[in-house]
Amino acid sequence: QVRLMESGGGSVQAGGSLKLSCAVSGYRFTTCGMVWYRQIPGKEREWISGVLPDGTTSYDDSVKGRFTISHDATKNTLYLQMDSLQSADTAVYTCGGCTYCAGTTCHSVSYWGQGTQVTVSS
């Protein structure tokens, strides 16, 4: 049984940092790697970052330079270090296993976590 469990969300002031974790069980990296999405209230879920098995990372422009994605294969855990947080980053963050992609662009996520809330106050 595949299970993805996020943790590390919470409330922080603008300019602060949080580190999200996604503990993965029953699932191993495919060639398309893993991803982080977020859903801002009233908007559709959006891709923000991905990492491939070879360590190649990609970011949406809205988080590039502030967020860092990583994966610890020994712990089968995905991370998202979020620095210089802004009120616009307030959202539910969800990790996923990407199963169809073109390069670093993920087209299909087959497995999702339950999400973790991040709230940034200005």
Side-chain angles (χ1 to χ4, degrees):
Q1 180 179 1
V2 177
R3 186 180 185 192
L4 283 68
M5 180 69 72
E6 300 94 341
S7 61
S11 297
V12 65
Q13 289 191 330
S17 298
L18 284 173
K19 185 173 184 177
L20 305 183
S21 299
C22 172
V24 182
S25 61
Y27 176 80
R28 292 291 179 181
F29 259 35
T30 67
T31 55
C32 292
M34 295 197 70
V35 295
W36 284 100
Y37 277 67
R38 69 184 180 187
Q39 187 165 20
I40 297 170
K43 296 187 176 182
E44 292 188 357
R45 186 161 51 188
E46 60 179 2
W47 173 89
I48 57 170
S49 185
V51 59
L52 299 180
D54 66 359
T56 301
T57 58
S58 54
Y59 301 92
D60 182 78
D61 286 345
S62 64
V63 305
K64 192 176 296 182
R66 300 187 299 120
F67 290 10
T68 304
I69 190 172
S70 62
H71 178 254
D72 186 334
T74 63
K75 297 180 179 179
N76 209 17
T77 300
L78 180 72
Y79 301 99
L80 186 68
Q81 175 68 44
M82 305 186 296
D83 299 317
S84 301
L85 283 162
Q86 307 165 355
S87 56
D89 296 317
T90 295
V92 174
Y93 287 73
T94 307
C95 62
C98 184
T99 52
Y100 179 66
C101 62
T104 58
T105 302
C106 182
H107 293 294
S108 178
V109 177
S110 295
Y111 303 102
W112 294 101
Q114 84 292 346
T116 185
Q117 176 70 47
V118 171
T119 303
V120 184
S121 57
S122 56

